[in-house]
Amino acid sequence: MKRRTGFALMASTLAALLLLSACGSGSSPGDGGSGSGKKLVIGDILFDTDAYQIAQQKQMQKYADSLGIKIIFENQQGQGTNAPNLMQDLQARGVDGIIMQPANANVAAPLVKQAQAQKIPVLGWAIPFGTGVTAPYVGLEEKTETEAAGKAAAQYVQKYFPGQPVKVLIVTITGVSSCSDDRMGPFEQGVKSVAPNAQITTVNGGADRNTAVTVAQDALQRDKGYNIATGCNSDMAMGALQAFKSAGLGGATNKKPDHTYFYSINGTDEELRALTDPTSPLMADLGLTPKEVSKTLIDTMEQMISGKIPAYSNHTLSVPDKPLGPDCTAANDFNKSEYFATTNLPCVGN
């Protein structure tokens, strides 16, 4: 009788251990499946397919591979209305967490809440979500740099175009807080800190290069006196530069603008080529750092999934950009490190 009781106790204990093991084999937002060796899966909803976003996707894939993390990319193509289907697809594919740069903050807000209701942590990036959402966020440290850039642009005009009133054309993206609060707003403040009476004209480029060209052309038809021009990103700035070139106002001589001082943001290959070209009026650029951004995003999401960072909190981080001037060596180093360039810019040897 004692033997049978001992055997029954051993069997009962073994069954309990098996049950406990089975219960621990699943994943949850708190452990990301790490307890069973399950490969972590992160979804990333990109903003668009511009040069910066392409570089960020490559950098994120490279870093995720180094960590043994699977990453699934979706792309809004610059349209917030695409986000619902993309978010639904990621949830259906069983991701452990989602990184998102919303093309439309208001469209994104309920989608984030839906994912969180399914215990899927969501990390915001670059553009804050709409009201009513509580989620960790990674932003860019740009205000100090863009304000300094506006100041430098105004000082340049006063020095090299003496007697001219400072006139600025800003091509922005209406409704995007990173443009108004972190980039073009501070740039305007920097200009006015030097030239309080500067005339500022702001037009909506709509996050589309062709639109940026059109609105810049329209602005030039009304006034050709702009001696400073900029855009919220590379498409906006380079689109404006294209319009100025078409009007015969987009040249430079030995890196001295013939007509207009240009400033851009992103640091793409196209911008760097213009920045280091003595015949181009692009004088300064704020380079986004997709390598550093990607590491920060993936590390932060991994910590959210593991519980080291509260997944449903206002935890905030920032990644600095890199101010660039017409220095060939610095531009080449940046292009290769951040944007996977395999050849030198044409300025090498000049």
Side-chain angles (χ1 to χ4, degrees), residues 152-327:
Q155 290 173 334
Y156 187 95
V157 168
Q158 288 184 340
K159 180 177 180 179
Y160 292 101
F161 302 129
Q164 286 190 19
V166 177
K167 290 187 176 183
V168 185
L169 177 64
I170 294 176
V171 185
T172 190
I173 309 172
T174 301
V176 174
S177 60
S178 59
C179 288
S180 58
D181 299 339
D182 299 328
R183 295 182 174 183
M184 300 294 91
F187 184 87
E188 180 177 341
Q189 293 170 10
V191 169
K192 289 192 171 180
S193 71
V194 174
N197 296 321
Q199 175 184 314
I200 310 291
T201 299
T202 300
V203 294
N204 181 21
D208 176 78
R209 182 169 184 140
N210 291 332
T211 302
V213 173
T214 299
V215 296
Q217 288 174 335
D218 291 343
L220 286 171
Q221 287 179 358
R222 295 187 295 271
D223 187 349
K224 290 184 171 58
Y226 298 111
N227 42 35
I228 298 174
T230 186
C232 185
N233 62 16
S234 56
D235 279 340
M236 304 296 99
M238 300 309 286
L241 179 54
Q242 183 178 332
F244 274 69
K245 286 182 177 179
S246 296
L249 306 173
T253 304
N254 295 324
K255 211 55 191 174
K256 179 181 182 298
D258 298 332
H259 188 275
T260 306
Y261 177 112
F262 270 81
Y263 173 69
S264 186
I265 299 174
N266 269 19
T268 62
D269 183 84
E270 178 189 23
E271 292 166 88
L272 297 179
R273 287 171 181 270
L275 186 64
T276 55
D277 181 354
T279 68
S280 172
L282 183 62
M283 303 299 289
D285 190 280
L286 185 59
L288 274 67
T289 55
K291 184 176 182 179
E292 289 73 14
V293 165
S294 297
K295 185 178 187 303
T296 300
L297 290 175
I298 292 175
D299 286 350
T300 302
M301 175 51 70
E302 192 173 21
Q303 292 177 63
M304 289 168 61
I305 293 169
S306 69
K308 294 179 181 179
I309 292 177
Y312 313 108
S313 68
N314 287 318
H315 185 86
T316 301
L317 294 169
S318 294
V319 182
D321 292 347
K322 184 176 179 61
L324 298 166
D327 179 274

Side-chain angles (χ1 to χ4, degrees), residues 37-115:
K38 172 182 174 288
K39 191 171 187 176
L40 199 66
V41 182
I42 295 175
D44 182 26
I45 300 179
L46 296 161
F47 182 88
D48 208 341
T49 55
D50 58 80
Y52 170 77
Q53 298 289 330
I54 292 171
Q56 181 182 316
Q57 181 172 340
K58 289 181 178 179
Q59 293 284 10
M60 292 189 76
Q61 185 68 68
K62 181 178 179 180
Y63 187 58
D65 288 345
S66 74
L67 298 176
I69 294 173
K70 179 179 179 180
I71 188 161
I72 301 173
F73 294 101
E74 306 276 8
N75 200 303
Q76 298 160 95
Q77 305 290 330
Q79 301 296 320
T81 52
N82 290 331
N85 288 337
L86 306 181
M87 183 71 82
Q88 185 177 16
D89 181 63
L90 289 177
Q91 292 180 49
R93 296 173 73 175
V95 297
D96 297 297
I98 296 172
I99 299 166
M100 183 181 190
Q101 180 181 356
N104 184 304
N106 293 326
V107 170
L111 303 178
V112 175
K113 291 181 180 179
Q114 291 170 15

